[in-house]
Amino acid sequence: LSFVVGVVCPDSDYSKVKLFCKDLPVEQVTCGGDDLDKQFSPSTEAYQICGEKTEAPCCRQNRTILVERRPKKDVVCIGRSRSLPEKWDGFEVAYHKELPCRYVTGYDYRTALILSVFMGMFGIDRFYLGYYAIGLLKFCTFGFFLLGQLVDIILIATQTVGPADGSDYLISQYGPILNKVGMENHTFYQYGSYYYKQQFLIHDEH
């Protein structure tokens, strides 16, 4: 058997290749295509969300988009059959990979912040984001006596409060997008060129 990673030399027997296409290095795979570019909306700086009339690929509610991955010509790997290796021609889709995307339904971040600053005492910001009950309370109490308005300005400015439908704000690609960073038991830390897996041991105290 003569091959380098997923590329098999001519006239080689590749029946024993056990490499899955999803494990190929990036230089041996092409992704997306014209369909992926068509689904990107310059006005929202995001991919179109999935709906009944939306063609794939599209951004799903779990904030992932399925991107087609095609092994390059003469690359051999296990793809569709999941048991037998195949020799690919460079055009067929071997698998789909989930990539992160922003789930945007049209709520503009700047509009929400401006409404909160200038009309927040009347609850207009909450009405705009879809929180009608809170908006009505703010309207009847003059923004909870302006204290609620101040709190909402901070919450919207820090993007802690978003649209009621769970979508992301409409923000320019180079705008003030805040990504929440968390830490869990399987968090990886990078030091220089090395990755270390930090395990946190939780001890129950009795």
Side-chain angles (χ1 to χ4, degrees), residues 47-187:
Y47 290 98
Q48 296 184 24
I49 62 174
C50 294
E52 295 181 357
K53 298 182 179 179
T54 308
E55 297 180 357
C58 55
C59 187
R60 300 179 294 177
Q61 197 166 1
N62 64 353
R63 290 173 174 78
T64 59
I65 183 172
L66 289 177
V67 179
E68 295 178 346
R69 307 283 281 189
R70 301 179 179 90
K72 293 185 177 180
K73 187 177 180 180
D74 294 333
V75 170
V76 173
C77 59
I78 302 174
R80 293 183 297 255
S81 63
R82 297 187 179 183
S83 59
L84 299 176
E86 301 177 59
K87 187 174 182 179
W88 300 88
D89 58 7
F91 300 99
E92 294 180 276
V93 178
Y95 67 100
H96 291 79
K97 183 176 182 179
E98 284 190 347
L99 296 178
C101 62
R102 299 186 64 249
Y103 187 75
V104 177
T105 58
Y107 291 94
D108 188 81
Y109 171 71
R110 291 174 296 181
T111 301
L113 187 57
I114 291 173
L115 289 176
S116 185
V117 172
F118 296 103
M119 302 292 290
M121 70 285 293
F122 303 116
I124 305 301
D125 52 346
R126 288 287 184 164
F127 281 116
Y128 173 73
L129 293 176
Y131 301 97
Y132 303 112
I134 299 178
L136 184 60
L137 284 175
K138 289 180 68 176
F139 179 79
C140 296
T141 59
F142 199 65
F144 295 110
F145 307 104
L146 299 181
L147 180 61
Q149 179 188 10
L150 177 61
V151 171
D152 274 350
I153 291 175
I154 297 174
L155 293 178
I156 293 176
T158 57
Q159 299 173 27
T160 303
V161 169
D165 62 359
S167 63
D168 298 315
Y169 281 115
L170 172 58
I171 306 176
S172 173
Q173 185 174 5
Y174 301 103
I177 299 177
L178 298 181
N179 295 317
K180 297 179 178 63
V181 179
M183 185 173 58
E184 59 182 12
N185 292 345
H186 301 285
T187 301

Side-chain angles (χ1 to χ4, degrees), residues 35-50:
D35 294 338
L36 188 63
D37 296 333
K38 291 178 182 177
Q39 295 298 85
F40 185 79
S41 174
S43 60
T44 61
E45 296 287 349
Y47 290 98
Q48 296 184 24
I49 62 174
C50 294

Side-chain angles (χ1 to χ4, degrees), residues 2-58:
S2 175
F3 66 93
V4 179
V5 190
V7 180
V8 177
C9 299
D11 302 325
S12 297
D13 178 18
Y14 52 83
S15 60
K16 296 182 180 180
V17 173
K18 297 182 179 181
L19 180 67
F20 287 90
C21 295
K22 61 182 180 63
D23 297 325
L24 288 172
V26 292
E27 61 268 14
Q28 294 183 0
V29 181
T30 58
C31 64
D34 295 337
D35 294 338
L36 188 63
D37 296 333
K38 291 178 182 177
Q39 295 298 85
F40 185 79
S41 174
S43 60
T44 61
E45 296 287 349
Y47 290 98
Q48 296 184 24
I49 62 174
C50 294
E52 295 181 357
K53 298 182 179 179
T54 308
E55 297 180 357
C58 55

